[in-house]
């Protein structure tokens, strides 16, 4: 990139020098050198005002995001405001300002900014992501869930953990809203799967199991559904049913997770030999994780082989010294 900056002559090429500084900033950004990225973004942004107005907004947005990463909120806000002054319908910059307000603890002001963004671009998912955060900080559980539902519906790849965390704080209200989405949305299977996961996170195993059975009827059988049904049955104390589901999962190609889950079921059933076989198979699939060594060691210990148990416990510690 530095070589390109030396040889580029804008009058002879169609490449603006601001674009090259922009690319240079991305290289630094991908190297996590945000300070140098900031310098290159700043140069690109200032130059683009003259030589690259077509990409000025994109460069400015990336510059402001980098400043935010460096916690330079005042400077970041100044860039967002410049872009809004240039384009009053710039919802992404409005959301950037709202994010800074949330960081400052000004959640009511952030919500006002986000409402303004909705008026210009109501289908922009990031509006609802920060709206749910602001409502959550204010303790407004219903409003937070409403925003979370809207975010999940509009985002192409939503942060499901964030939506779950808010929904679990007002679970019955969230479940009612999700059931409405299952009926009204053009992606009911996605919503059903999310409801299954939410019930699991809440420890409502019977409800989760019922939803997984419904999901299976609606979307067809799948290894992942077998595994989750097995987990639900295990937590309901129905070990034989759990093993049956996990057999199907493993036969269908589900690997490490299903082997560990079935191993746990065999341990609970007192069948330590089969449990050891499953944890050994899980280790063969992926030996990088401490859990199956610990779990297999526990089964050796329960079956009276302390030496084998110690070997596995030590292997687990070697792999992950922080493993509890």
């Amino acid at each position: 990139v530095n070589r390109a900056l030396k040889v580029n002559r804008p009058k002879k090429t169609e490449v603006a020098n601001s674009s090259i500084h922009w690319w240079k900033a991305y290289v630094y950004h991908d190297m996590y050198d945000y300070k140098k990225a900031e310098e290159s973004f700043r140069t690109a942004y200032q130059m683009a005002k003259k030589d690259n107005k077509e990409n000025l907004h994109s460069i400015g947005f990336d510059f402001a995001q980098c400043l935010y990463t460096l916690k330079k909120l005042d400077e970041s806000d100044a860039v967002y405001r410049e872009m809004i002054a240039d384009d009053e319908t710039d919802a992404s910059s409005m959301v950037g300002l709202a994010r800074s307000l949330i960081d400052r603890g000004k959640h009511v002001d952030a919500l006002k900014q986000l409402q303004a963004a909705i008026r210009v671009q109501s289908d922009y998912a990031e509006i609802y992501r920060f709206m749910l955060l602001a409502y959550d900080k204010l303790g407004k559980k219903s409003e937070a869930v409403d925003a979370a539902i809207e975010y999940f519906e509009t985002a192409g790849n939503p942060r499901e953990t964030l939506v779950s965390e808010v929904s679990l704080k007002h679970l019955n209200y969230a479940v009612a809203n999700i059931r409405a989405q299952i009926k009204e949305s053009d992606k009911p299977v996605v919503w059903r799967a999310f409801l299954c996961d939410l019930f699991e996170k809440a420890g409502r195993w019977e409800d989760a199991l019922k939803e997984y059975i419904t999901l299976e009827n609606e979307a067809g059988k799948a290894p992942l559904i077998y595994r989750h049904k097995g987990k639900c049955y295990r937590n309901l104390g129905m070990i034989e049913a759990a093993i049956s589901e996990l057999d199907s999962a493993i036969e269908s190609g589900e690997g490490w997770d299903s082997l560990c889950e079935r191993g746990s079921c065999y341990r609970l059933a007192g069948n330590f030999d089969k449990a050891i076989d499953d944890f050994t198979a899980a280790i063969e699939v992926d030996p990088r994780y401490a859990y199956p060594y610990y779990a297999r060691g526990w089964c050796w210990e329960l079956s009276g082989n302390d030496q084998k148990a110690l070997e596995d416990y030590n292997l687990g510690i070697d792999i992950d010294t922080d493993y509890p």
Side-chain angles (χ1 to χ4, degrees), residues 226-294:
Y226 289 135
R227 173 159 64 84
H228 282 282
K229 285 170 68 183
K231 183 179 179 182
C232 291
Y233 278 125
R234 174 175 64 79
N235 280 283
L236 290 167
M238 302 169 69
I239 303 303
E240 288 186 11
I243 290 172
S244 177
E245 293 290 341
L246 293 161
D247 286 344
S248 297
I250 292 165
E251 288 166 7
S252 302
E254 267 283 307
W256 191 90
D257 290 304
S258 291
L259 286 164
C260 289
E261 185 65 39
R262 191 174 69 176
S264 294
C265 290
Y266 280 131
R267 175 184 57 76
L268 288 167
N271 194 333
F272 303 128
D273 289 341
K274 284 192 174 182
I276 287 167
D277 288 344
D278 273 351
F279 291 125
T280 300
I283 290 166
E284 289 171 356
V285 169
D286 194 336
R288 297 172 298 169
Y289 297 98
Y291 173 74
Y293 295 98
Y294 150 71

Side-chain angles (χ1 to χ4, degrees), residues 1-239:
V1 173
N2 284 333
R3 175 67 179 158
L5 282 169
K6 288 181 180 178
V7 301
N8 189 50
R9 297 290 181 269
K11 291 182 179 179
K12 295 183 178 181
T13 76
E14 296 180 359
V15 180
N17 276 323
S18 58
S19 290
I20 304 178
H21 283 286
W22 188 21
W23 302 334
K24 184 176 179 178
Y26 267 117
V27 175
Y28 280 129
H29 187 276
D30 289 348
M31 294 167 64
Y32 305 104
D33 191 340
Y34 299 117
K35 191 65 184 172
K36 287 185 178 178
E38 177 200 350
E39 295 169 8
S40 293
F41 277 132
R42 189 184 302 278
T43 300
Y45 182 58
Q46 294 303 327
M47 293 178 72
K49 292 176 180 179
K50 295 181 179 179
D51 73 358
N52 199 358
K53 291 187 178 180
E54 181 181 352
N55 288 311
L56 178 61
H57 180 273
S58 296
I59 294 170
F61 184 78
D62 291 339
F63 177 35
Q65 294 286 85
C66 184
L67 289 167
Y68 176 82
T69 300
L70 291 166
K71 298 303 177 187
K72 296 185 175 183
L73 300 187
D74 289 342
E75 289 185 71
S76 176
D77 289 353
V79 177
Y80 286 132
R81 288 194 183 94
E82 279 187 16
M83 291 194 290
I84 293 170
D86 185 58
D87 179 4
E88 293 180 352
T89 65
D90 182 2
S92 59
S93 292
M94 294 178 188
V95 171
L97 289 174
R99 179 178 59 179
S100 295
L101 287 165
I102 290 171
D103 279 13
R104 291 183 170 96
K106 297 181 178 181
H107 303 113
V108 174
D109 291 337
L111 287 168
K112 291 177 181 176
Q113 185 70 61
L114 292 165
Q115 291 291 350
I118 287 175
R119 287 194 287 273
V120 299
Q121 192 177 343
S122 61
D123 61 347
Y124 183 38
E126 290 295 276
I127 296 172
Y128 304 104
R129 178 161 76 92
F130 288 102
M131 188 170 277
L132 76 87
L133 291 172
Y135 278 129
D136 186 47
K137 291 290 186 182
L138 290 168
K140 296 188 174 184
K141 296 179 181 179
S142 297
E143 291 86 346
V145 169
D146 290 340
I149 297 293
E150 196 67 42
Y151 168 58
F152 192 92
E153 177 66 16
T154 53
N157 186 25
R159 301 184 186 186
E160 291 190 22
T161 301
L162 182 62
V163 179
S164 297
E165 287 174 356
V166 169
S167 298
L168 287 168
K169 294 177 181 179
H170 199 3
L171 185 58
N172 290 336
Y173 181 79
V175 169
N177 274 271
I178 293 167
R179 291 202 186 283
Q181 289 296 323
I182 291 170
K183 292 180 180 179
E184 299 167 7
S185 172
D186 60 359
K187 46 185 181 184
V189 170
V190 174
W191 280 106
R192 178 82 66 189
F194 179 70
L195 181 58
C196 293
D197 181 67
L198 190 63
F199 277 136
E200 275 197 69
K201 285 184 169 69
R204 287 172 55 172
W205 304 107
E206 186 174 349
D207 289 325
L209 180 59
K210 289 176 181 177
E211 293 300 330
Y212 277 119
I213 291 170
T214 303
L215 178 63
E216 195 171 53
N217 292 333
E218 292 173 346
K221 297 183 182 297
L224 191 64
I225 297 177
Y226 289 135
R227 173 159 64 84
H228 282 282
K229 285 170 68 183
K231 183 179 179 182
C232 291
Y233 278 125
R234 174 175 64 79
N235 280 283
L236 290 167
M238 302 169 69
I239 303 303

